[in-house]
Amino acid sequence: MLDFSYYNPTRIHFGKSRLAKLNQEIPADARVLLLYGGGSVVRNGTLADVRQALGERQLIEFAGIEPNPSYERLSEAVAKVKAEGISYILAVGGGSVIDGAKYIAAAACMDADGWAILESGGRCINRSLPVGVVLTLAATGSEMNNSAVVTRVATQDKMPFASRHCFPVFAILDPTRTLSVPAKQVSNGVVDAFTHVIEQYLTHPVNGKVQDRFAEGLLLTLIEEGPKALQDPQNYDVRANLMWAASLALNGLIGAGVPQDWSTHMIGHELTAVHGLDHAQTLAVILPAMLAVRRTEKAQKLLQYAERVWGIEEGSDEQRISAAIARTREFFEQMGVATRLSDYGIQADQVPRLIAQLERHGMTALGERRDVTLAISTQVLQQCL
Ligand code: NZQ
Ligand code: ZN
């Protein structure tokens, strides 16, 4: 096992009755920025419940955080936070609203423009306003981690950052809030959480038995519960299991002490920035191709994955690896997320543009061994067609 330091300070309140914890978590004298997206939380009643739980606190609302939150829109919120003397940011929504909140909270504490956060990967952050979360979509794990992804629309840059100052103080995970999530976003959430586990699990063995078995448990849960959420969308237990699995998939626990890949995510960010695919759509396309191209380097873990996650025990090593990759693709397709670039109208002539983006963003040595060069990324993208 690799050396590690592990820290996660986010307090979780999980279940049907937990929204009322807002009153306990947020100081009574706070000036709160209530941040949300395109209106789903208005339509499903969550915003009204949040307002009620906050009682007499001073609230300023800021709506319109887009999926793949933009630097442009977030900058307007940063100006508002500074002008209004906001002391607490409450994100009500999915990963985009939460990521937006993290950016706003850090940028509002800086004199310089907030884009420096993205340029430094978060290293320039030395303080942040407190962020609380009411989660409405099981997917990213942002509610319980210290990272975020922001897009600068004008320049087509979708960039991640992370900082120890960016963990939410608390997150309320009430699965009933996710009952209104449309099928497409349920599917996206399952594919995203699944890929988060794979990025931290399917590398090379370091004898991290606890991490591996936690990861396999999360994958099996997503495989079991994901299709159920599509067939039986009002099932509370299914939503509860998906919600907790997605948070645990990316709260640092399964990734501590093991190698991590993240090449699928980094290539995926370019696909979103240039072609506007949903985050999970990019992962469903790239992951099967990435595993196929890197099957030799990942052979041992692919064989373990084949056996323990998919129950594949027959055939030669090569056959079992091929079968595991095929099952992964089938699972994404079963969840309704297409796995070929051509399904999204993207042809071979677009590959050089995506590679140029990776180069511009310094994504030239990706993966758990930093050996995913631009040549390998090109090969992966060609396999995605
Ligand atoms: O904007 P509203 O109207 O709220 O609608 C949203 C949005 O259209 C809707 N939605 C959310 N909760 C709902 C709901 N609709 C009905 N009922 C509800 N309860 O779902 C749509 C997608 O929301 P979004 O927040 O964009 O989805 P997701 O949670 O998948 O977040 C995606 C973003 O997170 C980033 C992605 O890159 C992307 O920008 N990621 C963040 C990570 C992190 N911070 O750790 C890790 C991930 O790898 C990912 O990169
Ligand atoms: Zn993701």
Side-chain angles (χ1 to χ4, degrees):
M1 201 185 298
L2 309 179
D3 292 358
F4 67 90
S5 302
Y6 178 65
Y7 170 70
N8 192 316
T10 304
R11 187 182 302 278
I12 298 297
H13 298 290
F14 191 102
K16 289 172 189 163
S17 62
R18 296 299 141 129
L19 197 68
K21 292 284 179 189
L22 279 174
N23 192 36
Q24 172 184 320
E25 288 287 357
I26 300 187
D29 60 354
R31 276 176 72 78
V32 181
L33 185 80
L34 193 51
L35 193 73
Y36 59 98
S40 69
V41 297
V42 178
R43 292 187 291 279
N44 70 12
T46 300
L47 200 69
D49 294 343
V50 166
R51 282 195 201 109
Q52 196 185 11
L54 289 172
E56 299 300 306
R57 286 176 183 79
Q58 298 177 59
L59 288 186
I60 290 164
E61 298 193 6
F62 194 95
I65 304 300
E66 323 89 323
N68 309 304
S70 75
Y71 159 79
E72 286 85 350
R73 182 75 181 135
L74 297 175
S75 297
E76 294 174 34
V78 172
K80 189 150 192 162
V81 167
K82 288 183 173 178
E84 301 276 356
I86 296 292
S87 65
Y88 212 108
I89 301 188
L90 181 60
V92 185
S96 295
V97 175
I98 304 166
D99 283 8
K102 291 175 182 175
Y103 174 84
I104 295 163
C109 295
M110 290 167 46
D111 294 328
D113 183 80
W115 189 248
I117 294 173
L118 284 311
E119 284 174 336
S120 69
R123 279 180 291 278
C124 74
I125 299 173
N126 46 39
R127 87 196 165 84
S128 168
L129 294 176
V131 171
V133 171
V134 176
L135 183 64
T136 66
L137 173 50
T140 64
S142 183
E143 64 278 6
M144 203 180 170
N145 70 35
N146 66 350
S147 64
V149 191
V150 170
T151 300
R152 190 164 187 156
V153 176
T155 49
Q156 293 186 317
D157 296 318
K158 180 170 180 175
M159 316 258 282
F161 71 90
S163 162
R164 58 158 64 196
H165 302 286
C166 293
F167 285 99
V169 176
F170 70 91
I172 293 177
L173 275 54
D174 172 355
T176 65
R177 305 289 160 187
T178 67
L179 292 172
S180 60
V181 174
K184 182 188 178 200
Q185 298 300 342
V186 171
S187 300
N188 280 348
V190 170
V191 169
D192 192 23
F194 189 93
T195 308
H196 292 161
V197 180
I198 294 282
E199 298 270 29
Q200 300 163 88
Y201 165 74
L202 235 171
T203 57
H204 52 85
V206 293
N207 206 11
K209 295 202 168 180
V210 174
Q211 294 91 327
D212 279 5
R213 289 199 162 99
F214 275 161
E216 288 152 3
L218 293 172
L219 294 172
L220 288 166
T221 302
L222 293 164
I223 291 165
E224 250 172 57
E225 302 299 288
K228 285 191 208 161
L230 297 179
Q231 287 143 19
D232 187 8
Q234 297 306 306
N235 187 320
Y236 175 84
D237 287 331
V238 169
R239 300 291 188 146
N241 279 303
L242 286 181
M243 198 172 216
W244 193 220
S247 296
L248 289 171
L250 196 49
N251 72 348
L253 184 67
I254 64 166
V258 296
Q260 301 194 17
D261 182 341
W262 299 107
S263 55
T264 293
H265 267 73
M266 294 309 129
I267 301 175
H269 289 167
E270 305 304 352
L271 265 175
T272 299
V274 177
H275 294 288
L277 271 67
D278 292 350
H279 174 60
Q281 292 173 332
T282 71
L283 307 176
V285 167
I286 296 164
L287 182 65
M290 181 66 75
L291 296 179
V293 168
R294 298 170 66 209
R295 56 187 291 153
T296 307
E297 295 81 356
K298 290 178 178 289
Q300 281 178 275
K301 280 315 253 316
L302 275 165
L303 287 167
Q304 181 178 324
Y305 170 65
E307 183 186 338
R308 294 199 197 167
V309 176
W310 295 111
I312 299 165
E313 290 174 356
E314 303 282 304
S316 66
D317 286 3
E318 290 309 318
Q319 284 167 333
R320 282 179 284 143
I321 288 173
S322 296
I325 297 171
R327 293 294 291 273
T328 307
R329 183 186 295 282
E330 282 160 24
F331 175 59
F332 294 164
E333 297 274 354
Q334 180 195 3
M335 288 305 301
V337 186
T339 61
R340 298 280 179 192
L341 280 177
S342 48
D343 296 325
Y344 301 94
I346 299 169
Q347 314 300 336
D349 58 355
Q350 294 297 322
V351 171
R353 171 80 198 281
L354 294 164
I355 295 298
Q357 288 269 117
L358 284 170
E359 186 165 24
R360 192 158 68 80
H361 294 140
M363 301 292 168
T364 54
L366 300 173
E368 62 272 18
R369 293 196 193 275
R370 303 281 163 258
D371 57 358
V372 179
T373 58
L374 291 179
I376 306 252
S377 293
T378 304
Q379 228 181 313
V380 169
L381 283 165
Q382 279 161 350
Q383 286 235 5
C384 294
L385 294 165

